[in-house]
Amino acid sequence: MKKLFLSVICLMAVSLSASAQNKARSLIIGFGPVGYIHENIKLDDEKYKYDYKSFWNANIGYEKQFKGVGSLTEFAYGQGKFDEYDLAGTSKWFDPAQAEDIYSVSVTQFFGKTINPNRRVQIPVYIGIGADYINGGPFHNLLIDGAVKARLKLYITNNFGIYAGATGRIGWGAKSASESGSKSSNSYNITNTSWSVDCGIVIGLGQ
């Protein structure tokens, strides 16, 4: 009888846990110590490529889940050290031979699905769109980003968990190639690609 009673209590606890997480809000705080970022600037025959290593980022996000469908609003800050460039062309609008370090500030809205929802171990997978401001070297530009994200979350309690994950991002922007006040206008195309691996904590905020 005692074993049966304990079994029923355990089943109730699991049921309540699943119910509580069926509709949940969470604050997610993370740090990504490993990453990489690559930038391209292109106009006609001019092609400039820049690589940055030791890219790290810190992020904070607000996540909402309902029956396995989720949304995540995330703010992130990242820094990378200049590695190398490949310059093809000579620009009269800016100096492409710049070897400064780089930093970025981004906000991204993700939507996705959680594999194994309402359990202690969950795998959310997201796609998102956002804006990314990049500064350093020849870059002082705002880009529009598309991103994908996947995480492995482990809930230690109903309201606290840890996670590890990875994010890939590609962005598009423009850099002016015309004089101020000129009637004609042109611009360089900027392409940004990056990836990072991060980990952090999940704090439940209730339903």
Side-chain angles (χ1 to χ4, degrees):
M1 181 64 71
K2 184 176 180 180
K3 290 183 179 180
L4 179 60
F5 178 76
L6 290 174
S7 298
V8 172
I9 293 297
C10 289
L11 287 173
M12 289 178 63
V14 171
S15 177
L16 288 172
S17 173
S19 177
Q21 293 186 35
N22 199 38
K23 183 179 180 182
R25 300 177 298 121
S26 301
L27 177 69
I28 301 177
I29 302 172
F31 177 71
V34 179
Y36 180 82
I37 185 168
H38 174 81
E39 305 285 351
N40 288 340
I41 302 178
K42 183 179 183 298
L43 175 61
D44 299 329
D45 294 332
E46 297 178 47
K47 297 179 182 179
Y48 310 113
K49 301 178 181 180
Y50 303 81
D51 292 303
Y52 300 87
K53 60 183 179 180
S54 302
F55 184 71
W56 64 267
N57 75 86
N59 59 77
I60 182 168
Y62 175 69
E63 183 183 56
K64 294 191 294 184
Q65 287 200 43
F66 180 69
K67 295 184 177 179
V69 178
S71 68
L72 171 66
T73 304
E74 184 179 83
F75 297 87
Y77 172 85
Q79 286 188 356
K81 292 185 178 296
F82 174 79
D83 185 19
E84 61 181 1
Y85 53 54
D86 181 5
L87 310 177
T90 302
S91 173
K92 67 177 182 178
W93 308 107
F94 69 99
D95 177 15
Q98 298 186 46
E100 298 175 12
D101 294 341
I102 198 171
Y103 74 82
S104 70
V105 180
S106 64
V107 56
T108 309
Q109 180 61 57
F110 291 95
F111 298 94
K113 180 74 174 176
T114 296
I115 301 171
N116 200 40
N118 310 324
R119 299 292 187 270
R120 292 294 185 189
V121 178
Q122 303 178 15
I123 304 175
V125 179
Y126 286 107
I127 59 173
I129 186 170
D132 190 6
Y133 176 71
I134 298 177
N135 189 299
F139 303 99
H140 304 273
N141 303 90
L142 182 67
L143 281 65
I144 301 300
D145 284 356
V148 293
K149 181 186 295 289
R151 284 173 169 167
L152 174 64
K153 295 198 297 186
L154 170 63
Y155 281 90
I156 299 171
T157 70
N158 289 350
N159 295 310
F160 181 81
I162 57 176
Y163 81 88
T167 303
R169 187 183 297 271
I170 181 168
W172 301 270
K175 186 177 185 69
S176 177
S178 60
E179 296 179 357
S180 178
S182 173
K183 292 183 179 180
S184 61
S185 63
N186 208 343
S187 61
Y188 290 87
N189 294 320
I190 298 176
T191 306
N192 162 66
T193 55
S194 66
W195 62 264
S196 62
V197 176
D198 67 324
C199 59
I201 60 174
V202 182
I203 304 171
L205 303 176
Q207 299 187 31

